[in-house]
Each structure stands twice: as structure tokens, then as C-alpha cells.
Amino acid sequence: MVTANLEETTVESFSDQLHGDVLRPGDAGYDDARTVWNAMIDKEPALIARCTGSADVIAAANFARDLDLPLAVKGGGHNVAGDAVCDNGLVIDLSPMNAVRVDPEAQIARVQAGATMADLDHETQAFGLATTGGIVSPTGVAGLTLGGGLGRLDRKFGLAIDNLLSADVVTAEGDLVHASESENPDLFWGLRGGGGNFGVVTSFEFQLHEVGPDVLTGRVIHPVEAAPDVLRFYRDFMTDAPDAVQCYAAFTQVPPLPEFPEPLHGQTVLVLIPFYAGDIENGRAALQPLREVGDPIADTVQPQPYTVSQRSSDDIYQEGHRNYWKSHNLEGLSDEAIETMVEHATPIPSPFTTVFLEWMEGAISRIDPDATAFPHRDAALSFTVAPKWTDPERDDELIGWAQSFHEAMAPHATDSVYANYLSRDESERVRAAYGENYDRLVEVKNEWDPENVFRMNQNIEPTG
Ligand SMILES: Cc1cc2nc3c(=O)[nH]c(=O)nc-3n(C[C@H](O)[C@H](O)[C@H](O)COP(=O)(O)OP(=O)(O)OC[C@H]3O[C@@H](n4cnc5c(N)ncnc54)[C@H](O)[C@@H]3O)c2cc1C
């Protein structure tokens, strides 16, 4: 353990520089702070700095750099790859920094980097405002945004990064810089899709939009036997759908949760999750075809508070499970791709496991692929196999299932993948995740982090 090699006085003088706590193995709170969403990740940092502001982050970045300690940055800790923590190094834990300040007149939110989607939605919805963000509420705004940021509002308002106005960043040199279109524009470009490669973002400034407070959404559940017909309809419908319509589709084994009818528990089903970003009555008309296709066994689509819809999948994606994800971007959904999905998804091998399709296009695709570091502007969908389980004895079985499913889908996929969905054994796919923007990202990395201090991420290696 590195702690054994760190002089007590060194740790104490570091601790004295911080307002937040510095935790070591055995300290109260250490195990909580090193725990991330994916229970397959079990890393033991030497030190965890629970930062309360940019000053703490600067001190921590300087400390790790000067002592050449492995350095990880934890936002919401939701990354499936587990990059928010490291063994034998320092973790900058941003979770105490979760304030969100909304300017309702300007429709702008300033968001500290430890905020979760729950924090952001709670504060912005107090003013009937929102911006694009993740669909499971404990997910960190920081990691989600730095990778791109898909969400229910993305077809209407673009990705999270398309609504990012500026960010404050602690650099590898320990400086605090502001990045926007007009200040450090190369860094700002890289932050919008290039992950945590360039520094520690301490706060984000987002453009907000009028949303809700009620929105029309819910689940339309079909028996898996109906999946081919329903998915073909889904494809044709979404290809021409207005931007205000988002609809995810997911195969799942109905989990034993009260929100699902008990007779369905354990069954493999196809779920459509239509969502309308706008007036409820307009939404009823727009979503109706998605509710009329086939003969659904349940339909829970109804007006509900946007904040409730944003928490509606929290129980399915709860923490404490073992997780492994394999994802592809798709150009479209051919009949053959649908057949392959149905074949591999039947049956879904464990409760809470999902195989999900997120339709993209709309506002996302009207931005040039090189306007931000996020390159996947022409992908129609993101496809992800996401098994969940608790018994470590099932690791090989469920990881193998996800891998063979993913491989079977490869002929129907582009070569690209969303960086935020990469698992920890996929470093060879990092280039594909940054696509045609990779070379420019290397230039930005060379300028802002030539020593690769920030490497616990989907890493862009500097070339000197
Ligand atoms: C249940 C679940 C639901 C999800 N839903 C969505 C979704 O709807 N849309 C979507 O786009 N993605 C979604 N994701 C993927 C998600 O975007 C990524 O997992 C993202 O990394 C989570 O951010 P985080 O802050 O929680 O991650 P962390 O695990 O804390 O960090 C992830 C990476 O970002 C880096 N990082 C974090 N904060 C900072 C910072 N302030 N400065 C610099 N680097 C930082 C970390 O070092 C690490 O490399 C989901 C993931 C899960 C597990």
C-alpha cells in the first residue's frame, strides 16, 4: 500500500491544506467513499480527498502530481469501468461539492462537479427548467457531461455538452482556468466529449430550457414474442419522429419490483419508454402510435412530474449489483439486427438485466461531428447489453453472454461506441470512442496534460 510509503507528516501536511477530510484505509467513511456503482470494482486508494471546493482540488492535484501518485477523480462514481477510483493512489472525491445555483431569468445553472442528476433536476425544476442529462438520478453530472451526455431531452435540446456554456477546470499544473467558446476554446472543445482527460472540472455552467413540471411518459410493455413487430414499428416511427419525442426500447427480465405487475415478474419482455418534451396534449397525440402498436400487457404512460420520470429507472439500475456493459452505435435498425437482438435477448438471463436502445438523431445530429469532441453525430442509435447480477460465480456466464451478444450485433453496427459506456476491459476501443476527433484530442492533451496526470479515464495518451 502506498500509505505505508507516505510519511505520516506528509499526509498530515496535505490534510492541513484541505477543508474537506482526507480518508485513509480504516477511517470511518473510507469504505463508503471508495465504493462505486459497479460492485465488480473493489479498489483500495491510499488516500481519498473529500474536496469541498476548487482550493481543495488544486491542493490534491498538486499533491498527487508532485508525489507521482496514481490519481482518480470521482464525480458520481457511476462509470461502469470504475475509473472513479484507483488502487494505491489518491482519489479526488468531488461528492461534497454538489451545489446547484439556478439563475431563472437567464435560464442558466451553475453546477458543482459532485452534483448528481437528482441534484440538478431538483434545483432546476423548482423554476420549471431543465437541461439534458442522464436518466438514472444518482448518476454524476460531471462524468456524464464530459463524455457527451445522452438523456430524455437530447433529441429536442441536444446532448448535455451541447448545453454546456462554460466550465472551471483545475489543470495538471494546479491552475484554475475557465473554458468557454471564447476562453481557452481548445480546452472547451476537448471537455465536450473528451472525458476527464484534461483536468478536474470543478463546476459547469449549463443552458436551461422550459420543461414540465409535468411531462407525458411511462412504460409500454410487450411480451417478447411481439418484439420483432414492435421493434420494426419503433424503427419506422422514430426515423420520422419530431424532436420532442424520445423513446427508448429495452429488453428486460421483469424485476420483482412493485411498479411492475406481479404476474410479469421473471418474464422476458420488451419495454418501450416513450417521452414527450412539451405540452401534454400535444404529447398524447405524438406518442399515441407508440402505445397502439401490438397488444401491450401494460401501459403506464401518463402525465407525471419530470423529476419523477427522471427517477423512474433508479430501482432497476440500483447500485450494489455486479455490472458489465457492451455497447455499439448503430446506423439504423435493420430487420436482421432486430432478429439478432430478439434471438440473443430471449431469455434475459437475470433480473434487472437490460438490453437497451437509445434513439439519437434530432438536435444531436444537427451539430457537426467536429464542433465538439463528441464525434457520434450521425449515429441513429446506441445499443447496449447491460447484465446485472449479484453472485460472483455468475461473472463468466454473464460477461460471456454480453460479449457474444455484442459480437453478434457487430455486423449491424458502426465501428463506434459512446465513451461513457465502455467497460474496463475495452481500452482497445478508446480510439473508436473518440472517432475522427482522436488526433485533435491528442493535441489538446499534449497542451493541457502532457504528463498524463489524468489517466484514470478513457485515456487519450499524450505524444509529448
Ligand atoms: C445506471 C447508469 C445510468 C446511466 N445513464 C446514462 C444516461 O442516461 N446518459 C448518459 O449519457 N450516460 C449514462 N450513463 C453513463 C454515464 O454517463 C457514465 O457512467 C458517467 O461516467 C457517469 O458519471 P459519474 O460522474 O457518475 O462518473 P464517475 O464514475 O465518477 O467518473 C467517470 C469518469 O469521469 C471522470 N470524472 C468524473 N468527474 C470528473 C470531473 N469533475 N473532472 C474530470 N473528470 C471527471 C472520472 O475520472 C472517470 O474517468 C449511465 C451510467 C449508469 C451506471
Side-chain angles (χ1 to χ4, degrees):
M1 285 279 245
V2 170
T3 14
N5 300 331
L6 285 173
E7 297 279 345
E8 188 69 22
T9 50
T10 310
V11 176
E12 274 171 18
S13 79
F14 171 51
S15 197
D16 286 346
Q17 293 175 53
L18 266 61
H19 261 186
D21 294 333
V22 174
L23 304 175
R24 287 188 272 182
D27 286 348
Y30 171 85
D31 279 330
D32 272 353
R34 76 182 182 89
T35 300
V36 292
W37 174 78
N38 185 356
M40 292 200 76
I41 310 297
D42 182 19
K43 294 190 189 155
E44 296 194 12
L47 299 172
I48 302 176
R50 305 221 345 120
C51 296
T52 60
S54 295
D56 283 5
V57 175
I58 291 169
N62 286 339
F63 181 78
R65 187 200 56 237
D66 292 348
L67 294 184
D68 206 16
L69 290 175
L71 175 63
V73 180
K74 184 178 176 195
H78 257 54
N79 197 266
V80 69
D83 289 331
V85 281
C86 59
D87 279 323
N88 302 331
L90 172 69
V91 172
I92 292 182
D93 178 2
L94 298 167
S95 55
M97 295 167 56
N98 64 351
V100 176
R101 183 179 181 281
V102 177
D103 178 340
E105 290 290 310
Q107 303 199 337
I108 285 172
R110 188 169 283 282
V111 183
Q112 280 193 312
T116 62
M117 282 310 307
D119 299 323
L120 176 58
D121 290 335
H122 178 69
E123 292 297 331
T124 54
Q125 274 292 283
F127 305 97
L129 300 169
T131 198
T132 307
I135 65 162
V136 176
S137 77
T139 308
V141 172
L144 178 127
T145 301
L146 293 169
L150 303 171
R152 292 182 168 91
L153 301 174
D154 54 12
R155 287 169 46 80
K156 184 157 180 192
F157 301 122
L159 301 167
I161 49 168
D162 301 333
N163 294 285
L164 185 64
L165 301 173
S166 73
D168 288 339
V169 186
V170 173
T171 67
E173 293 291 313
D175 298 321
L176 181 71
V177 300
H178 193 62
S180 68
E181 289 286 5
S182 56
E183 237 176 303
N184 298 306
D186 61 330
L187 176 60
F188 188 55
W189 179 87
L191 292 175
R192 287 174 294 162
N197 271 285
F198 312 110
V200 186
V201 175
T202 55
S203 85
F204 300 87
E205 191 187 20
F206 288 105
Q207 182 66 57
L208 305 175
H209 310 273
E210 286 172 18
V211 173
D214 279 0
V215 291
L216 189 69
T217 188
R219 298 190 178 104
V220 184
I221 305 180
H222 292 271
V224 73
E225 295 74 23
D229 286 343
V230 174
L231 282 178
R232 280 193 291 269
F233 177 86
Y234 167 70
R235 167 195 64 201
D236 296 342
F237 180 83
M238 288 306 292
T239 304
D240 295 321
D243 292 355
V245 173
Q246 177 54 284
C247 185
Y248 301 128
F251 290 91
T252 189
Q253 185 190 117
V254 178
L257 294 173
E259 67 229 48
F260 293 96
E262 206 173 327
L264 296 184
H265 294 182
Q267 284 187 35
T268 294
V269 294
L270 175 75
V271 187
L272 296 184
I273 308 160
F275 173 90
Y276 190 78
D279 173 79
I280 298 287
E281 290 314 313
N282 293 344
R284 283 190 208 283
L287 300 187
Q288 193 59 22
L290 285 165
R291 305 174 65 188
E292 281 178 350
V293 56
D295 189 12
I297 32 186
D299 176 346
T300 65
V301 175
Q302 60 183 321
Q304 53 186 279
Y306 177 71
T307 48
V308 171
S309 76
Q310 283 284 88
R311 292 195 301 266
S312 60
S313 295
D314 286 9
D315 286 349
I316 296 175
Y317 294 99
Q318 58 189 262
E319 53 184 54
H321 285 96
R322 302 172 83 75
N323 290 277
Y324 181 80
W325 287 13
K326 286 294 273 187
S327 186
H328 282 300
N329 287 338
L330 309 182
E331 265 170 19
L333 205 52
S334 64
D335 287 354
E336 295 74 24
I338 291 173
E339 268 172 42
T340 306
M341 284 182 69
V342 174
E343 181 191 330
H344 283 262
T346 314
I348 290 289
S350 63
F352 301 99
T353 287
T354 52
V355 176
F356 55 88
L357 290 168
E358 292 163 283
W359 209 279
M360 295 166 75
E361 301 190 312
I364 303 170
S365 62
R366 287 195 289 275
I367 291 176
D368 286 340
D370 61 358
T372 66
F374 180 91
H376 313 298
R377 300 289 180 172
D378 52 6
L381 306 97
S382 168
F383 157 87
T384 305
V385 187
K388 263 177 156 309
W389 67 102
T390 48
D391 181 357
E393 295 210 348
R394 295 194 74 187
D395 286 3
D396 288 350
E397 173 204 345
L398 286 154
I399 291 171
W401 173 75
Q403 288 171 337
S404 61
F405 196 155
H406 182 259
E407 205 177 307
M409 285 296 284
H412 314 294
T414 67
D415 287 335
S416 65
V417 59
Y418 177 29
N420 273 351
Y421 290 173
L422 287 175
S423 279
R424 64 194 162 138
D425 58 356
E426 295 195 291
S427 52
E428 83 292 349
R429 298 184 78 205
V430 168
R431 249 175 192 272
Y434 297 125
E436 61 198 57
N437 288 331
Y438 187 79
D439 290 345
R440 186 168 165 196
L441 281 164
V442 172
E443 284 171 29
V444 180
K445 182 77 173 178
N446 285 343
E447 189 181 337
W448 291 94
D449 185 21
E451 304 301 326
N452 211 4
V453 171
F454 303 108
R455 58 180 176 272
M456 290 297 300
N457 43 47
Q458 303 308 342
N459 195 229
I460 297 155
E461 281 185 38
T463 53

